[in-house]
Amino acid sequence: LTYDADLEDGEWVFVRKKKWKGKNKYYRVKEGDTMHSIAQLHGIQLNCLYWRNRKPVGWQPKSGESIQLKGRVKK
């Protein structure tokens, strides 16, 4: 978020750096999941999630796809 961004009711805001919450290396995408929701669910910074999966910012996964949560996808 930018400093002047508007927040929606019920939106989560982290004021400290996120810490890894899980032990799973991969996540299977469910219907309606976005990179933002996956990052929030697993306590991962969104830009790190894109970096780990070698995807451009703004890319969104399809249902059933596997997203790497820990480490980085090999080339």
Side-chain angles (χ1 to χ4, degrees):
L1 293 174
T2 60
Y3 290 102
D4 60 347
D6 292 328
L7 299 176
E8 295 181 21
D9 189 31
E11 188 171 2
W12 291 21
V13 177
F14 290 90
V15 292
R16 292 189 183 143
K17 186 174 179 178
K18 294 181 181 180
K19 293 184 180 179
W20 173 249
K21 285 197 221 174
K23 54 187 169 186
N24 296 330
K25 188 173 181 177
Y26 300 98
Y27 174 75
R28 178 77 56 191
V29 178
K30 297 175 186 160
E31 187 69 35
D33 281 343
T34 64
M35 289 295 273
H36 180 264
S37 67
I38 295 167
Q40 294 289 61
L41 180 65
H42 295 281
I44 301 170
Q45 292 180 359
L46 183 57
N47 61 339
C48 291
L49 194 57
Y50 283 118
W51 179 82
R52 288 177 178 168
N53 289 278
R54 297 182 189 271
K55 300 295 182 187
V57 173
W59 176 86
Q60 294 300 319
K62 295 178 182 170
S63 182
E65 253 183 288
S66 183
I67 297 294
Q68 186 139 345
L69 302 174
K70 194 172 184 181
R72 192 164 188 209
V73 171
K74 295 180 181 179
K75 289 184 180 181

